[in-house]
Amino acid sequence: MSRAAWYRVAEVATEDEDIRHALNQLVDRWPRWGFWKCYGWLRANGKRWNHKRIRRIYCLMKLNLPRRKKKMVLTRKRQSLAILPAVNQSWSLDFVHDALICGKRFRTLNVIDEGVRECLAIEVDTSLPAARVVRVLDRICAWRGTPKQLRMDNGPELISSQLAAWCQRHNVEMLHIQPGKPNQNAYIERFNRTFRQEVLNAYLFTSLDQVREISWQWLLDYNEERPHDALNGLTPTAYREKIAA
């Protein structure tokens, strides 16, 4: 390093401070204004700065980039996981993602009865909006009956007005877990892990029909053949029949 550079006193650029201050005032007052509106206002109020100079400072301040606001999620209370061993006491809903061998993405909507650990539905498709979720619940309720409560996370399909209206019509309580706390929905999370290990990770799928067929056969085996440790070695179907008797 040269001696001149070492002893040189750093100069603070102050010629642009007036422009920075003026732009900050405009953005604070009108956050939706773009560059040309700000430039027009400055010129109309006697500021004779060149538009290229204002544009350079405008970009250095990153005002040309959209300001992202954090999505506000309603405050959720922590819900207890203590579930009575009863049918239709509480159902859990959650989505699982995967892809076909060609790279096409798909989702599955998994629904289980927490009281008896029984899988009620595995809906497979590339898109599962709120209307499709309501349709799946209607199909389950037609042969199973209506639950007392639904436990789910804060996904867009599960906080929609359509699902809320469905729950209100059927007197079903909606239990949303706290954001970022999947352990509060532990029953469905444990089921999802088993489903992923034994189905999604075990096969290379070529079509959605193949996913549906294998998932349906696995659902029957899970409910009627697979012993469950939490049910003292009984299958969910056998346990449901036991508590019903």
Side-chain angles (χ1 to χ4, degrees):
M1 183 181 294
S2 66
R3 182 179 297 179
W6 177 263
Y7 286 105
R8 184 171 181 271
V9 179
E11 297 180 359
V12 180
T14 59
E15 63 272 11
D16 296 334
E17 288 300 318
D18 292 340
I19 302 178
R20 291 177 180 270
H21 180 68
L23 287 175
N24 278 325
Q25 286 185 328
L26 286 177
V27 172
D28 289 341
R29 186 174 179 182
W30 294 293
R32 302 296 299 173
W33 277 18
F35 165 73
W36 288 109
K37 281 193 177 294
C38 293
Y39 172 72
W41 188 93
L42 292 174
R43 297 287 287 188
N45 285 271
K47 307 297 183 182
R48 311 309 299 175
W49 298 312
N50 186 280
H51 73 278
K52 292 180 287 186
R53 182 182 177 189
I54 299 176
R55 177 69 179 178
R56 175 176 58 83
I57 299 172
Y58 185 86
C59 294
L60 287 175
M61 296 173 64
K62 299 186 184 302
L63 298 178
N64 58 321
L65 301 178
R67 296 188 174 184
R68 296 184 178 180
K69 294 185 179 181
K70 186 177 181 181
K71 184 178 179 181
M72 300 299 295
V73 180
L74 296 176
T75 303
R76 307 295 188 188
K77 295 182 179 180
R78 183 173 182 178
Q79 306 291 341
S80 175
L81 273 175
I83 298 298
L84 296 175
V87 178
N88 294 342
Q89 180 70 24
S90 177
W91 292 0
S92 292
L93 287 74
D94 200 11
F95 292 94
V96 177
H97 302 255
D98 205 357
L100 302 177
I101 193 172
C102 63
K104 185 177 182 180
R105 305 290 298 179
F106 67 87
R107 309 173 76 193
T108 71
L109 170 64
N110 300 340
V111 185
I112 68 168
D113 190 328
E114 296 180 347
V116 294
R117 310 296 198 276
E118 188 173 7
C119 180
L120 305 179
I122 300 177
E123 189 74 6
V124 181
D125 213 330
T126 54
S127 178
L128 296 171
R132 184 72 171 273
V133 175
V134 170
R135 195 166 64 194
V136 172
L137 292 175
D138 282 331
R139 189 175 70 233
I140 300 173
C141 292
W143 63 271
R144 179 77 174 197
T146 306
K148 293 184 178 180
Q149 62 185 28
L150 291 178
R151 192 190 310 275
M152 47 203 160
D153 58 22
N154 298 276
E157 301 87 359
L158 304 179
I159 61 174
S160 65
S161 58
Q162 296 184 52
L163 183 59
W166 184 89
C167 291
Q168 185 176 9
R169 289 197 306 269
H170 294 83
N171 296 321
V172 177
E173 182 182 4
M174 301 178 69
L175 299 181
H176 288 97
I177 65 174
Q178 294 175 315
K181 300 289 185 179
N183 57 303
Q184 296 181 9
N185 202 5
Y187 293 109
I188 192 70
E189 293 293 342
R190 179 63 180 86
F191 173 84
N192 290 343
R193 191 187 80 172
T194 303
F195 176 64
R196 181 168 294 280
Q197 289 178 344
E198 298 185 4
V199 178
L200 299 182
N201 292 348
Y203 297 92
L204 292 176
F205 301 107
T206 59
S207 65
L208 291 179
D209 290 336
Q210 185 184 22
V211 181
R212 296 187 182 102
E213 182 180 354
I214 294 177
S215 298
W216 171 250
Q217 186 59 51
W218 181 84
L219 182 150
L220 297 178
D221 293 341
Y222 182 88
N223 289 337
E224 300 175 3
E225 303 292 339
R226 187 178 187 275
H228 204 296
D229 295 338
L231 306 179
N232 296 323
L234 296 176
T235 64
T237 301
Y239 185 75
R240 172 169 54 83
E241 294 173 352
K242 177 182 177 182
I243 62 175

